[in-house]
């Protein structure tokens, strides 16, 4: 089965282009105005916490319009409510927001908070995707998670292929889908354990200058080269990810320009085409690198892979 | 297009349904904004049979970081259909209101300033423009954890302020976190009084009230990195010594990765079957371990399962957040965790010269016992193990304000 491309979207104006480029699904955020007013930027509802970028849909009318587009173009839209530090009052508020989203025609939600997942248990007809921001995954987690609404597990960025394969094989829920990060924004730290701020006026904490005592290493100087996946890439791992049981591939792109995301979707699409025609892993990697990275790749790898087929 | 979060509107729609007038309030996104008008869009045909009765427009003002709200009644605006697009109808609202002019002008200026800063300034310069972030201090690095501790504990102002700490110590159970191999070795090898004396002395805290803490519990294990979890035989020996000293014990597990599950379960089962302690507690930092072990053992949730905004740079934004890390029963102090990487970034730095090229480490060389990652001095933070830890200079008042949330305090020097 071909793995599906899930693209992050910051504005509904990009939805049609993403669908045409080959995205199978799209995910976005929704932050009502009154929520912003009440909780501000300090208690975000999802993991895109800036305000001077288009990273989430900002109004209910946008949700309604996007739903019409969804009905016309047929590509599912998931809405992220995957903030990791929620108070009880925020959880109650989010449940009501989700109910509004359901009325607007949405059924797929990305959630990182287990208490919030429990509060949604009694709502029929929804599909909860467990966000990678939940924390270090292991198969012991699935022995407990039994809500009928759980449809997908999103592995966090820092997951090895071996771990992914093992967890999937040991999950008693054989209907679950699995999503893995594929392109862009390979963070230095684990999202679930990132308590630092992501706001407009401060850079991410992982970009604060640093050095190692006694070693001549400083802040990474990021040079833009415009090659696919320069901030994080898992394209070489597609063979292994498919073998491990991954069904969906995450393209991190909320806040990126629509044009860049379209390019990324097409890149992934091409890689998947090469994958479908490949005889073995080495064949896939060689052909993919030749076509997509003729001048070399970023070496900013999401996954460490064995070059040899097992 | 204006980013959604800085400007939006709620339109009040009125319409007749079954001969009764109805009201509906609908959020709309403001697409383009001038000092006289704004454009917005609605689903196709949405306004059929409805009228926009009033507008509530919200403008985000960066100073004082809140939304300014403008109510505009129907006499003060006109709505016209600009275009019927494929999936929505585009409208323009023309506003006859001086306040709208002022607010729209303010918002546009602030947004354009932001774009200008983003395009033309460094991160540090942008932060300096937008908040009180200091300029030209990012190359002044601290020399690591000990320097941070020394600067704080040898400052007499910090000693006199901390008199209240002794009062708190009287009513809470105080623990010490044995989070690395050196601390564990010291605890095992030294008489307890000497261990405590050296512990505070090493951190320059001998003259600070923190050193007056009467330690009643030891926490064994590193909450961030499983590779620092001691061998089970060592833990049993630690438990035996603690028991002889009349100390309680909490075993601390970092998040357990999938390939370590079998080994960890075996070790924990061994420890909890073999120990002779009356009450032994396990603190975990991933949900799978929590659900598994709670079936048979006294388990609490650790600091990585209690999340919250913690960033030493928040002070420059005028934000006071609850910095100290919390577990289910305790507050850890004076260091708090801001970030943790399950793929060791220190290992990546040392072996590959690139913090971003981290991967799962199987054979740990223990670089964290030799190296620290240093950050600008004014941030009071350090890269230890696989984490960024920051020192809360206001830990005394923070402990007092968090008092009700914990029955224990755990020192993590």
């Amino acid at each position: 089965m071909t793995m599906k491309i899930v693209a992050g979207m910051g504005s509904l104006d990009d939805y049609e282009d993403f669908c045409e480029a080959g995205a199978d699904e799209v995910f976005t955020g929704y932050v009502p105005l009154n929520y912003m007013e009440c909780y501000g930027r300090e208690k975000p509802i999802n993991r895109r916490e800036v305000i001077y970028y288009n990273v989430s849909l900002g109004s209910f009318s946008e949700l309604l319009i996007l739903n019409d587009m969804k009905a016309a173009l047929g590509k599912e839209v998931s809405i992220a409510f995957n903030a990791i530090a929620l108070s009880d009052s925020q959880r109650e508020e989010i449940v009501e927001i989700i109910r509004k989203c359901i009325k607007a025609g949405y059924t797929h939600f990305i959630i990182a908070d287990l208490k919030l997942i429990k509060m949604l248990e009694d709502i029929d007809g929804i599909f909860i995707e467990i966000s990678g921001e939940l924390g270090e995954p292991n198969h012991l987690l699935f022995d407990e998670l039994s809500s009928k609404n759980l449809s997908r597990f999103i592995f966090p960025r820092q997951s090895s292929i071996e771990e992914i394969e093992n967890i999937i094989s040991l999950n008693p829920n054989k209907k679950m889908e699995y999503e893995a990060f594929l392109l862009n924004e390979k963070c230095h730290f684990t999202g679930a354990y990132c308590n630092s701020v992501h706001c407009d006026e401060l850079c991410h904490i992982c970009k604060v200058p640093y050095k190692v005592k006694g070693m001549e290493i400083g802040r990474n100087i990021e040079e833009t080269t415009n090659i696919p996946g320069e901030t994080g890439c898992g394209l070489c791992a597609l063979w292994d990810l498919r073998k491990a049981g991954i069904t969906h591939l995450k393209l991190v792109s909320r806040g990126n320009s629509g044009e860049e995301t379209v390019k990324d979707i097409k890149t992934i699409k091409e890689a998947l085409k090469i994958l479908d025609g490949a005889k073995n892993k080495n064949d896939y990697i060689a052909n993919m690198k030749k076509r997509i990275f003729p001048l070399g790749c970023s070496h900013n790898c999401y996954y460490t892979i064995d070059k040899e087929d097992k | 297009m204006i980013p959604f979060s800085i400007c939006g509107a709620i339109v009040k729609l009125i319409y007749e349904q079954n001969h009764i007038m109805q009201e509906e309030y609908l959020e709309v996104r403001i697409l383009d904004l001038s000092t006289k008008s704004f454009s917005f869009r609605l689903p196709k045909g949405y306004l059929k049979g409805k009228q926009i009765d009033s507008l509530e427009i919200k403008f985000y003002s960066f100073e004082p970081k809140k939304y300014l709200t403008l109510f505009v009644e129907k006499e003060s605006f006109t709505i016209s259909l600009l275009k019927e697009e494929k999936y929505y109808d585009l409208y323009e609202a023309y506003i006859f209101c001086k306040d709208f002019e002022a607010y729209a002008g303010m918002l546009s200026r602030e947004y354009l300033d932001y774009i200008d800063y983003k395009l033309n300034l460094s991160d540090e310069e942008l932060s300096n423009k937008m908040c009180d972030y200091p300029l030209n201090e990012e190359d002044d690095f601290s020399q690591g954890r000990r320097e941070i501790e020394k600067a704080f504990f040898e400052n007499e102002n910090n000693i006199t302020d901390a008199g209240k700490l002794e009062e708190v110590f009287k009513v809470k159970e105080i623990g010490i976190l044995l989070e690395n191999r050196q601390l564990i070795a010291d605890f095992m090898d030294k008489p307890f009084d000497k261990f405590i004396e050296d512990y505070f002395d090493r951190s320059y805290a001998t003259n600070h009230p923190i050193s007056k803490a009467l330690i009643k519990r030891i926490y064994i294990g590193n909450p961030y990195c499983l590779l620092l979890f001691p061998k089970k035989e060592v833990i049993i020996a630690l438990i035996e010594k603690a028991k002889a000293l009349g100390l309680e014990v909490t075993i601390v597990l970092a998040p357990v990765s999938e390939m370590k599950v079998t080994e960890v379960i075996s070790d924990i089962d061994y420890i909890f079957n073999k120990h002779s302690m009356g009450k032994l507690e396990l603190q975990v930092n991933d949900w799978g371990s929590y659900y598994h072990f709670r079936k048979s053992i006294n388990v609490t949730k650790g600091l990585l399962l209690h999340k919250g905004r913690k960033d030493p740079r928040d002070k420059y934004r005028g934000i006071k957040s609850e910095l100290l890390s919390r577990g289910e029963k305790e507050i850890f102090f004076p260091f708090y965790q801001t970030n943790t990487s399950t793929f060791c970034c220190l290992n990546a730095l040392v072996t590959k010269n690139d913090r971003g090229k981290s991967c799962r480490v199987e054979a740990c060389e223990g670089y964290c016992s030799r190296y620290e990652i240093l950050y600008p001095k004014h941030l009071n933070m350090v890269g230890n193990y696989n984490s960024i830890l920051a020192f809360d200079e206001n830990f005394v008042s923070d402990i007092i304000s968090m008092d009700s949330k914990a029955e224990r305090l755990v020192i993590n020097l």
Side-chain angles (χ1 to χ4, degrees), chain B residues 116-174:
Chain B
D116 179 46
Y117 299 155
K118 202 73 186 165
L119 290 175
N120 298 312
L121 301 180
S122 66
D123 286 340
E124 191 189 7
E125 287 165 343
L126 181 149
S127 298
N128 177 253
K129 285 277 189 194
M130 294 188 75
C131 62
D132 288 332
Y133 198 79
L135 205 51
N136 300 323
E137 289 190 33
E138 289 210 322
D139 287 333
D140 184 14
F141 289 90
S142 88
Q143 291 307 305
R145 194 164 178 150
R146 293 291 166 250
E147 189 198 54
I148 292 170
E149 290 166 346
K150 185 171 196 256
F152 179 83
F153 288 118
E154 290 193 340
N155 181 334
E156 281 191 8
N157 287 335
N158 296 329
I159 294 172
T160 51
D161 283 349
K164 296 170 198 164
L165 191 61
E166 295 186 58
E167 292 303 309
V168 177
F169 281 171
K170 286 176 190 167
V171 295
K172 301 282 186 196
E173 184 183 346
I174 313 296

Coordinates of all heavy atoms in Angstrom, one line a residue, chain B residues 116-174:
Chain B
D116 N 10.0 44.1 8.9 CA 11.3 44.8 8.7 C 12.4 44.2 9.6 O 13.5 43.9 9.1 CB 11.1 46.3 9.0 CG 12.4 47.0 8.8 OD1 13.1 46.8 7.8 OD2 12.7 47.9 9.7
Y117 N 12.0 44.0 10.8 CA 13.0 43.4 11.8 C 13.4 42.0 11.3 O 14.5 41.6 11.3 CB 12.4 43.2 13.2 CG 12.0 44.5 13.8 CD1 11.0 44.5 14.8 CD2 12.5 45.7 13.5 CE1 10.6 45.7 15.4 CE2 12.1 46.9 14.1 CZ 11.2 46.9 15.1 OH 10.7 48.1 15.7
K118 N 12.4 41.2 10.9 CA 12.6 39.8 10.5 C 13.5 39.7 9.3 O 14.4 38.8 9.2 CB 11.3 39.1 10.2 CG 11.2 37.6 10.3 CD 11.3 37.2 11.8 CE 11.4 35.6 11.7 NZ 11.8 35.1 13.0
L119 N 13.4 40.7 8.4 CA 14.1 40.6 7.1 C 15.5 41.2 7.3 O 16.5 40.7 6.7 CB 13.4 41.4 6.0 CG 12.2 40.8 5.5 CD1 11.5 41.8 4.5 CD2 12.4 39.5 4.8
N120 N 15.7 42.1 8.2 CA 16.9 42.9 8.3 C 17.8 42.8 9.5 O 18.9 43.3 9.5 CB 16.6 44.4 8.0 CG 16.0 44.6 6.7 OD1 16.5 44.1 5.7 ND2 14.9 45.3 6.6
L121 N 17.2 42.2 10.6 CA 18.0 42.1 11.8 C 18.3 40.7 12.2 O 17.7 39.7 11.7 CB 17.1 42.7 13.0 CG 16.7 44.1 12.8 CD1 15.9 44.6 14.0 CD2 17.9 45.1 12.6
S122 N 19.3 40.5 13.0 CA 19.7 39.2 13.6 C 18.6 38.8 14.6 O 17.8 39.7 15.0 CB 21.0 39.2 14.2 OG 21.0 40.1 15.4
D123 N 18.6 37.6 15.0 CA 17.6 37.1 16.0 C 17.8 38.0 17.3 O 16.8 38.4 17.9 CB 17.9 35.7 16.4 CG 17.4 34.7 15.3 OD1 16.6 35.1 14.5 OD2 17.9 33.6 15.3
E124 N 19.0 38.2 17.7 CA 19.3 39.0 18.9 C 18.7 40.4 18.8 O 18.1 41.0 19.7 CB 20.8 39.0 19.2 CG 21.2 39.5 20.6 CD 22.7 39.7 20.6 OE1 23.4 39.6 19.6 OE2 23.2 40.0 21.7
E125 N 19.0 41.0 17.6 CA 18.6 42.4 17.4 C 17.1 42.5 17.3 O 16.4 43.4 17.9 CB 19.2 42.9 16.1 CG 20.7 43.2 16.2 CD 21.3 43.4 14.8 OE1 20.7 43.0 13.8 OE2 22.4 43.9 14.7
L126 N 16.4 41.5 16.7 CA 14.9 41.5 16.6 C 14.4 41.4 18.0 O 13.5 42.1 18.4 CB 14.5 40.3 15.8 CG 12.9 40.2 15.6 CD1 12.6 39.6 14.3 CD2 12.3 39.3 16.7
S127 N 14.9 40.5 18.8 CA 14.5 40.3 20.2 C 14.7 41.6 21.0 O 13.8 42.0 21.9 CB 15.2 39.2 20.9 OG 14.9 38.0 20.2
N128 N 15.8 42.3 20.8 CA 16.0 43.5 21.5 C 15.0 44.6 21.1 O 14.6 45.4 22.0 CB 17.4 44.0 21.2 CG 17.8 45.3 21.8 OD1 17.8 46.4 21.2 ND2 18.0 45.3 23.2
K129 N 14.6 44.6 19.9 CA 13.6 45.6 19.4 C 12.2 45.3 20.0 O 11.5 46.2 20.3 CB 13.5 45.6 17.9 CG 14.6 46.2 17.2 CD 14.4 47.7 17.1 CE 15.4 48.4 16.2 NZ 15.5 49.8 16.3
M130 N 11.9 44.0 20.1 CA 10.5 43.7 20.4 C 10.3 43.4 21.9 O 9.2 43.4 22.4 CB 10.1 42.4 19.6 CG 10.0 42.7 18.1 SD 9.3 41.3 17.2 CE 7.6 41.5 17.6
C131 N 11.4 43.2 22.6 CA 11.2 43.0 24.1 C 12.5 43.5 24.7 O 13.4 44.1 24.0 CB 10.9 41.6 24.5 SG 12.1 40.4 24.0
D132 N 12.7 43.2 26.0 CA 13.9 43.8 26.7 C 15.1 42.9 26.5 O 16.0 42.9 27.4 CB 13.6 44.0 28.2 CG 12.7 45.2 28.3 OD1 12.7 46.1 27.5 OD2 11.9 45.2 29.3
Y133 N 15.1 42.1 25.5 CA 16.3 41.1 25.4 C 17.6 41.9 25.2 O 17.6 42.8 24.4 CB 16.0 40.2 24.2 CG 16.9 39.0 24.2 CD1 16.5 37.9 25.0 CD2 18.1 38.9 23.4 CE1 17.3 36.7 25.0 CE2 18.8 37.7 23.5 CZ 18.4 36.7 24.3 OH 19.2 35.5 24.3
P134 N 18.6 41.6 26.0 CA 19.8 42.4 26.0 C 20.6 42.2 24.6 O 20.6 41.1 24.1 CB 20.6 41.9 27.1 CG 20.1 40.5 27.4 CD 18.6 40.5 27.0
L135 N 21.2 43.2 24.2 CA 22.0 43.2 23.0 C 23.5 43.0 23.4 O 23.9 43.4 24.4 CB 21.8 44.5 22.3 CG 22.0 44.6 20.8 CD1 21.2 43.6 20.1 CD2 21.6 46.0 20.3
N136 N 24.2 42.3 22.5 CA 25.6 42.1 22.6 C 26.0 41.4 23.8 O 27.1 41.6 24.4 CB 26.3 43.5 22.6 CG 26.1 44.3 21.3 OD1 26.0 43.7 20.2 ND2 25.9 45.6 21.4
E137 N 25.2 40.5 24.3 CA 25.6 39.7 25.5 C 25.6 38.2 25.1 O 25.9 37.3 25.9 CB 24.6 39.9 26.6 CG 24.8 41.2 27.3 CD 24.0 41.4 28.6 OE1 23.9 40.3 29.3 OE2 23.6 42.5 28.9
E138 N 25.3 37.9 23.8 CA 25.2 36.5 23.4 C 26.6 35.8 23.3 O 26.7 34.6 23.2 CB 24.4 36.3 22.2 CG 22.9 36.6 22.5 CD 21.9 35.8 21.6 OE1 22.2 35.7 20.4 OE2 20.9 35.4 22.1
D139 N 27.6 36.6 23.2 CA 29.0 36.0 23.1 C 29.7 35.9 24.5 O 30.8 35.4 24.6 CB 29.9 36.9 22.1 CG 29.4 36.6 20.7 OD1 28.9 35.6 20.4 OD2 29.6 37.6 19.9
D140 N 29.0 36.4 25.5 CA 29.5 36.3 26.8 C 29.0 35.0 27.5 O 27.9 35.0 28.1 CB 29.1 37.5 27.7 CG 29.8 37.5 29.0 OD1 30.7 36.7 29.3 OD2 29.3 38.3 29.9
F141 N 29.7 33.9 27.3 CA 29.2 32.6 27.7 C 29.5 32.4 29.2 O 30.5 32.8 29.7 CB 29.8 31.5 26.9 CG 29.4 31.4 25.5 CD1 30.0 32.1 24.5 CD2 28.3 30.6 25.2 CE1 29.5 32.1 23.2 CE2 27.8 30.6 23.8 CZ 28.4 31.3 22.9
S142 N 28.6 31.6 29.8 CA 28.9 31.2 31.2 C 29.9 30.1 31.1 O 30.2 29.6 30.0 CB 27.6 30.7 31.9 OG 27.4 29.3 31.6
Q143 N 30.5 29.7 32.2 CA 31.5 28.6 32.2 C 30.9 27.4 32.8 O 31.6 26.5 33.2 CB 32.7 29.1 33.1 CG 33.5 30.1 32.4 CD 33.9 29.7 30.9 OE1 34.5 28.7 30.7 NE2 33.5 30.6 30.0
G144 N 29.6 27.3 32.8 CA 28.9 26.1 33.2 C 28.2 26.1 34.5 O 28.1 27.2 35.2
R145 N 27.7 25.0 34.9 CA 26.9 24.8 36.1 C 27.5 25.4 37.3 O 26.8 26.1 38.1 CB 26.6 23.3 36.2 CG 25.4 23.0 37.2 CD 25.0 21.6 36.9 NE 24.0 21.2 37.9 CZ 23.0 20.3 37.6 NH1 23.0 19.7 36.4 NH2 22.1 20.1 38.5
R146 N 28.7 25.1 37.6 CA 29.4 25.5 38.8 C 29.5 27.0 38.9 O 29.3 27.6 39.9 CB 30.8 24.9 39.0 CG 30.7 23.4 39.2 CD 30.2 23.0 40.5 NE 29.8 21.6 40.5 CZ 28.6 21.1 40.5 NH1 27.6 21.9 40.6 NH2 28.4 19.8 40.4
E147 N 29.7 27.6 37.7 CA 29.8 29.1 37.7 C 28.5 29.7 38.0 O 28.4 30.7 38.7 CB 30.3 29.6 36.4 CG 30.7 31.1 36.4 CD 30.7 31.8 35.1 OE1 29.8 31.6 34.3 OE2 31.8 32.4 34.8
I148 N 27.4 29.1 37.4 CA 26.1 29.6 37.7 C 25.7 29.5 39.2 O 25.2 30.5 39.8 CB 25.1 28.8 36.8 CG1 25.2 29.1 35.4 CG2 23.6 29.2 37.3 CD1 24.4 28.2 34.4
E149 N 26.1 28.4 39.8 CA 25.8 28.2 41.2 C 26.6 29.2 42.0 O 26.1 29.8 43.0 CB 26.1 26.8 41.6 CG 25.1 25.7 41.0 CD 25.6 24.3 41.1 OE1 26.8 24.1 41.4 OE2 24.8 23.4 40.9
K150 N 27.9 29.3 41.7 CA 28.8 30.2 42.4 C 28.2 31.6 42.4 O 28.2 32.3 43.5 CB 30.2 30.1 41.8 CG 31.2 30.9 42.6 CD 32.6 30.6 42.0 CE 33.7 31.0 43.0 NZ 34.4 32.2 42.8
A151 N 27.9 32.1 41.2 CA 27.4 33.5 41.1 C 26.2 33.7 41.9 O 26.0 34.8 42.5 CB 27.1 33.8 39.6
F152 N 25.4 32.7 42.1 CA 24.1 32.9 42.8 C 24.4 32.8 44.3 O 24.0 33.7 45.1 CB 23.1 31.9 42.4 CG 21.8 32.0 43.2 CD1 20.8 33.0 42.8 CD2 21.5 31.2 44.3 CE1 19.7 33.1 43.5 CE2 20.4 31.4 45.0 CZ 19.4 32.4 44.7
F153 N 25.0 31.7 44.7 CA 25.1 31.4 46.2 C 26.1 32.3 46.9 O 26.0 32.4 48.1 CB 25.4 29.9 46.4 CG 24.3 29.0 46.1 CD1 24.4 28.0 45.1 CD2 23.1 29.1 46.8 CE1 23.3 27.2 44.8 CE2 22.0 28.2 46.5 CZ 22.1 27.3 45.5
E154 N 27.0 32.8 46.2 CA 28.0 33.7 46.8 C 27.5 35.2 46.8 O 28.3 36.0 47.3 CB 29.4 33.5 46.2 CG 30.0 32.2 46.5 CD 31.5 32.0 46.2 OE1 32.0 32.9 45.4 OE2 32.1 31.2 46.7
N155 N 26.4 35.4 46.3 CA 25.8 36.7 46.3 C 25.0 36.9 47.6 O 24.1 36.2 47.8 CB 24.9 36.9 45.1 CG 24.3 38.3 45.0 OD1 24.1 39.0 46.0 ND2 24.0 38.7 43.8
E156 N 25.5 37.8 48.4 CA 24.9 37.9 49.8 C 23.5 38.3 49.7 O 22.7 37.9 50.6 CB 25.7 39.0 50.6 CG 27.0 38.4 51.1 CD 27.7 39.3 52.1 OE1 27.0 40.4 52.5 OE2 28.8 39.1 52.4
N157 N 23.0 39.0 48.7 CA 21.6 39.4 48.6 C 20.8 38.1 48.5 O 19.6 38.1 49.1 CB 21.3 40.2 47.3 CG 21.9 41.6 47.5 OD1 22.0 42.1 48.6 ND2 22.2 42.2 46.4
N158 N 21.3 37.1 47.9 CA 20.5 35.9 47.7 C 20.5 35.1 49.0 O 19.5 34.3 49.3 CB 21.1 35.0 46.6 CG 21.0 35.7 45.3 OD1 20.1 36.5 45.0 ND2 22.0 35.4 44.4
I159 N 21.4 35.3 49.9 CA 21.4 34.6 51.2 C 20.4 35.2 52.1 O 19.6 34.5 52.7 CB 22.8 34.6 51.8 CG1 23.8 33.8 50.9 CG2 22.8 34.1 53.2 CD1 25.2 33.9 51.3
T160 N 20.4 36.5 52.2 CA 19.5 37.2 53.1 C 18.0 37.0 52.7 O 17.2 36.8 53.5 CB 19.8 38.7 53.2 OG1 19.8 39.2 51.9 CG2 21.1 38.9 53.9
D161 N 17.8 36.9 51.4 CA 16.4 36.7 50.9 C 15.9 35.3 51.2 O 14.7 35.1 51.1 CB 16.4 36.9 49.3 CG 16.4 38.4 49.0 OD1 16.3 39.2 49.9 OD2 16.6 38.7 47.8
A162 N 16.8 34.4 51.5 CA 16.3 33.0 51.5 C 16.0 32.6 52.9 O 15.8 31.4 53.1 CB 17.4 32.1 50.9
G163 N 15.8 33.5 53.8 CA 15.4 33.1 55.2 C 14.1 32.3 55.2 O 13.9 31.4 56.0
K164 N 13.3 32.7 54.3 CA 12.0 32.0 54.2 C 12.1 30.6 53.8 O 11.2 29.8 54.1 CB 11.1 32.7 53.1 CG 10.8 34.2 53.4 CD 10.1 34.8 52.2 CE 10.2 36.3 52.4 NZ 9.9 37.0 51.1
L165 N 13.2 30.2 53.2 CA 13.4 28.9 52.7 C 13.4 27.9 53.9 O 12.9 26.8 53.9 CB 14.7 28.8 51.9 CG 14.9 27.5 51.2 CD1 13.8 27.3 50.1 CD2 16.3 27.5 50.5
E166 N 14.0 28.4 55.0 CA 14.1 27.5 56.2 C 12.8 27.2 56.7 O 12.5 26.1 57.3 CB 15.0 28.2 57.2 CG 16.5 28.3 56.7 CD 17.4 28.8 57.8 OE1 17.5 28.2 58.8 OE2 18.1 29.8 57.6
E167 N 11.9 28.2 56.7 CA 10.5 28.0 57.1 C 9.8 26.9 56.3 O 9.1 26.0 56.8 CB 9.7 29.3 57.1 CG 10.2 30.4 58.0 CD 10.1 29.9 59.5 OE1 9.1 29.3 59.9 OE2 11.1 30.0 60.1
V168 N 10.0 27.0 55.0 CA 9.4 26.0 54.1 C 10.0 24.6 54.4 O 9.3 23.6 54.4 CB 9.6 26.4 52.6 CG1 9.1 25.3 51.7 CG2 9.0 27.7 52.3
F169 N 11.3 24.5 54.6 CA 11.9 23.3 54.9 C 11.3 22.5 56.1 O 11.3 21.3 56.2 CB 13.4 23.5 55.1 CG 14.2 23.6 53.9 CD1 15.6 24.0 53.9 CD2 13.7 23.4 52.6 CE1 16.3 24.2 52.8 CE2 14.4 23.6 51.4 CZ 15.8 24.0 51.5
K170 N 10.8 23.3 57.0 CA 10.3 22.7 58.2 C 9.0 21.9 57.9 O 8.7 21.0 58.7 CB 10.0 23.8 59.3 CG 11.2 24.4 59.9 CD 10.8 25.5 60.9 CE 12.0 26.3 61.3 NZ 11.7 27.6 62.0
V171 N 8.3 22.3 56.9 CA 7.0 21.6 56.7 C 7.0 20.7 55.4 O 5.9 20.2 55.1 CB 5.9 22.7 56.5 CG1 5.7 23.4 57.8 CG2 6.1 23.6 55.4
K172 N 8.1 20.6 54.7 CA 8.1 19.7 53.6 C 9.1 18.6 53.8 O 10.1 18.8 54.5 CB 8.5 20.5 52.3 CG 7.6 21.7 52.0 CD 6.3 21.2 51.3 CE 5.5 22.4 50.8 NZ 4.1 22.0 50.5
E173 N 8.9 17.5 53.1 CA 9.9 16.5 53.0 C 11.0 16.9 52.0 O 10.6 17.2 50.9 CB 9.3 15.1 52.6 CG 10.3 14.0 52.7 CD 9.6 12.7 52.2 OE1 8.4 12.6 52.1 OE2 10.4 11.7 51.9
I174 N 12.3 16.9 52.3 CA 13.3 17.3 51.4 C 14.1 16.1 50.9 O 14.5 15.2 51.6 CB 14.3 18.3 52.1 CG1 13.6 19.3 53.0 CG2 15.2 18.9 51.1 CD1 12.7 20.3 52.2

